[in-house]
Amino acid sequence: MAHQAHAYHMVDPSPWPLTGAIAALLMTSGLAVWFHFHSTTLMTLGLILLLLTMHQWWRDIIREGTFQGHHTPPVQKGLRYGMILFITSEVFFFLGFFWAFYHSSLAPTPELGGCWPPTGITPLDPFEVPLLNTAVLLASGVTVTWTHHSIMEGERKQAIQSLTLTILLGLYFTALQAMEYYEAPFTIADGVYGSTFFVATGFHGLHVIIGSTFLAVCLLRQIQYHFTSEHHFGFEAAAWYWHFVDVVWLFLYVSIYWWGS
Amino acid sequence: MFRHLRTLQQVSRRTLSSTARRQLENKVPVKQKLFQEDNGMPVHLKGGTTDALLYRATMALTVFGCGYVLYALIDAALPKKKD
């Protein structure tokens, strides 16, 4: 059996980049087919392929790290850089939507009535459900930090409990936000107010769901003894992502919900 | 009757580990042995039959999807004759 004379990870050939690329092709073309020809088959096929790719690709990374020991310190450093760069790209993604919001709200056009919120729009009271949502996410930031310290101190039961609580708080936020969407007196079609509100908060909500899923996978891994007190980067990546989601919400709350009302 | 319940409680506490609740056994060493076996299998197939089935299903959808998207796009690009 050949042994490597370096600490880096030369991965086995994998089919998942190909299947992922085809999934992206099917989803984008499928979107266009849906818009023009009212058929969702292609898009759905793309989504299924995306889910299969994500499941198998990330399953393989867990195998390579936890079961095969390929995640040496230099490899882990690379993974850290990767996660930081990815989150940075997401920050820029949200920056665009904040730019759109401030562009429209700082100089409201005559068509809107020259005011913000525009004439006819009843904004949500920032001190009702949105404030509760803020408390929920801030609390989840505390519980996820509790989880990290529990893992580092080898407190298995506490780590499981605090991580479960974090996920429940995330689900609570999603449920509250879904209810707010349903009950809102304005829609996405209500001019630029509706567009900026629902696109910014909608993408944020999607990221809460993604973050909650990432944390749930970490919970399953913690239960199955994957994490050690010294080596638990998968969890750290999930916690970084979760803090990022929390910070985006704080900006959304202050800008759109509070200042924007 | 209560003595029997207490005995049951003590027995279950002794046979499982530190808590009376059901606890999961650490299967990581078993998995490490499986995935470090020198059998030349790539990591995406090294888990066994389920891996192969899932891979085949994914690849089948990929190939079919490729064909379908080409058909759908070519069909969308061709002018439709109105009767």
Side-chain angles (χ1 to χ4, degrees), chain A residues 1 12-16 18-19 22 25-26 29-30 33 37 39 41-42 45 48-49 52-53 55-56 59-60 63-64 66-69 156-157 161 223-226, chain B residues 19 21 23-28 31-33 35-36 38 41-48 50-51 54-55 57-59 61-66 68-69 72-73 76:
Chain A
M1 187 168 93
D12 290 338
S14 169
W16 312 131
L18 174 67
T19 61
I22 300 298
L25 171 66
L26 262 53
S29 315
V33 164
F37 307 110
S39 163
T41 316
L42 198 56
L45 187 56
I48 293 168
L49 210 46
L52 283 168
T53 302
H55 170 79
Q56 291 172 99
R59 173 206 68 189
D60 288 351
R63 288 177 176 179
E64 289 161 358
T66 307
F67 304 145
Q68 295 182 330
R156 175 183 162 80
K157 202 169 76 155
Q161 286 172 347
I223 290 169
Q224 290 172 70
Y225 298 89
H226 286 201
Chain B
T19 65
R21 278 198 317 267
Q23 251 202 20
L24 219 64
E25 205 193 286
N26 185 353
K27 295 197 187 80
V28 171
K31 296 273 189 174
Q32 285 171 334
K33 190 160 175 264
F35 288 103
Q36 288 177 39
D38 192 10
M41 294 291 266
V43 72
H44 68 280
L45 294 170
K46 218 169 165 91
T50 322
D51 283 6
L54 209 53
Y55 165 72
T58 310
M59 209 37 98
L61 284 174
T62 306
V63 171
F64 173 74
C66 261
Y68 186 28
V69 80
L73 290 178

Side-chain angles (χ1 to χ4, degrees), chain A residues 117 121-125 185-186 193 257 260-261:
Chain A
I121 296 279
T122 34
L124 299 169
D125 186 342
F186 53 87
Y193 184 90
Y257 284 91
S261 68

Side-chain angles (χ1 to χ4, degrees), chain B:
Chain B
M1 209 272 289
F2 291 107
R3 221 174 330 121
H4 288 303
L5 287 171
R6 283 286 290 160
T7 320
L8 174 66
Q9 204 178 41
Q10 283 170 339
V11 167
S12 29
R13 279 195 177 134
R14 259 182 259 131
T15 43
L16 301 170
S17 27
S18 49
T19 65
R21 278 198 317 267
R22 179 175 50 95
Q23 251 202 20
L24 219 64
E25 205 193 286
N26 185 353
K27 295 197 187 80
V28 171
V30 175
K31 296 273 189 174
Q32 285 171 334
K33 190 160 175 264
L34 172 69
F35 288 103
Q36 288 177 39
E37 209 189 302
D38 192 10
N39 53 21
M41 294 291 266
V43 72
H44 68 280
L45 294 170
K46 218 169 165 91
T49 330
T50 322
D51 283 6
L53 285 168
L54 209 53
Y55 165 72
R56 278 183 211 178
T58 310
M59 209 37 98
L61 284 174
T62 306
V63 171
F64 173 74
C66 261
Y68 186 28
V69 80
L70 286 169
Y71 161 74
L73 290 178
I74 291 170
D75 186 58
L78 290 171
K80 286 273 176 292
K81 242 187 268 185
K82 287 220 192 305
D83 296 307

Side-chain angles (χ1 to χ4, degrees), chain A residues 29 60 97 106 153 171 180 188 206 212 214 229 238 250-251:
Chain A
S29 315
D60 288 351
F97 297 120
L106 284 167
E153 285 153 34
L171 294 172
E180 281 281 272
I188 197 171
L206 177 64
S212 303
F214 195 171
S229 52
L250 294 174
F251 278 96

Side-chain angles (χ1 to χ4, degrees), chain A residues 11 20 26 31 40 45 55 58 77 99 110 124 127 137-138 172 175 179-180 190 211 235-236 246 250 253:
Chain A
V11 294
L26 262 53
L31 203 64
T40 54
L45 187 56
H55 170 79
W58 286 324
K77 196 169 169 209
W99 183 349
L124 299 169
F127 300 109
L137 283 187
L138 285 173
Y172 187 34
M179 186 213 71
E180 281 281 272
D190 285 321
F235 169 77
E236 286 184 72
D246 189 6
L250 294 174
Y253 180 71

Side-chain angles (χ1 to χ4, degrees), chain A residues 28 34 46 53 81 97 203 222:
Chain A
T28 47
W34 182 35
T53 302
Y81 272 129
F97 297 120
F203 271 118
Q222 164 65 8

